[in-house]
Amino acid sequence: SGFARVAEPITAGVPLSRAANVLSVGRLGLFAGGREIPAQFAELARWGGVAGDASRPIRWVLVDAQVDVPAGGRLDLELRDKGRDLAPPSPAQPLSIDGSEAARLWLRTGGFEVAIDRSRGSLFGSIRLDGRELLAGSAPGGGVLVARDGTVYRTSNAPASVQVERAGALRSVVAISSGLVSDAGGRLGGTDVR
């Protein structure tokens, strides 16, 4: 395109041959111009077994990376088997998840921080940039649905489940499950957000 891409996130599912016999994503590396770049890998499927069966070769791998491409430029990437488990280089600003607070789960990358309220399942309990609060989580937050009869249902009225499904330096997945409950306690349904 006509725009330079800096730390542009990319995701791809890549098939691996059975003959490659790659048993661990730790053996994989993503290379650009002969240099290994920060990347994250996850098994999606294995030959003759389930994704979690480490005794079977990997059939499909999910690759996440951040790449720089000049305006109008092109970047060729190569997925390689490094032959043994070696950690890839770390990204300049890795994503981290901090679950040390009982009330909140923090997602951080560089100076950008987002808090998820564990009890209410509010997606943005707080947003900070370089330590400056951009959004404070004092309002009830969460999802709101107004039924045809005017009844207001809120996710903040129901207990929430906040689970880290995948944690990585480039991609993490947090699942938030809650219900839609009116102030009077009537339940309409549930919500799942990732």
Side-chain angles (χ1 to χ4, degrees):
S1 83
F3 298 98
R5 308 293 182 178
V6 177
E8 183 79 10
I10 61 166
T11 299
V14 180
L16 303 179
S17 73
R18 181 180 281 202
N21 199 35
V22 175
L23 299 175
S24 166
V25 293
R27 288 176 44 173
L28 298 174
L30 190 62
F31 291 79
R35 180 181 59 86
E36 187 174 9
I37 64 171
Q40 182 177 320
F41 307 96
E43 305 95 344
L44 295 177
R46 291 189 180 261
W47 289 97
V50 296
D53 181 356
S55 69
R56 312 299 295 171
I58 298 171
R59 186 174 187 167
W60 280 91
V61 64
L62 183 67
V63 180
D64 287 287
Q66 293 176 346
V67 297
D68 297 336
V69 182
R74 171 185 160 144
L75 179 66
D76 293 322
L77 299 172
E78 180 183 3
L79 181 66
R80 292 185 195 165
D81 179 354
K82 299 185 289 187
R84 60 189 173 114
D85 281 4
L86 295 169
S90 295
Q93 295 188 346
L95 176 64
S96 67
I97 297 179
D98 178 358
S100 63
E101 289 183 29
R104 291 180 167 180
L105 180 74
W106 285 93
L107 296 106
R108 295 185 171 104
T109 180
F112 186 69
E113 303 173 293
V114 174
I116 298 172
D117 184 316
R118 292 181 194 259
S119 63
R120 296 182 298 191
S122 298
L123 186 55
F124 303 119
S126 174
I127 297 177
R128 296 178 190 162
L129 180 61
D130 296 326
R132 196 179 86 232
E133 190 89 26
L134 301 178
L135 174 74
S138 58
V144 176
L145 184 135
V146 180
R148 286 186 179 167
D149 67 1
T151 304
V152 178
Y153 295 89
R154 304 174 194 280
T155 58
S156 59
N157 288 340
S161 166
V162 178
Q163 299 292 322
V164 177
E165 293 183 340
R166 179 172 294 175
L170 292 167
R171 172 197 286 256
S172 293
V173 178
V174 177
I176 305 168
S177 298
S178 186
L180 285 165
V181 178
S182 70
D183 292 336
R187 186 173 180 85
L188 182 63
T191 61
D192 291 310
V193 177
R194 282 179 172 74

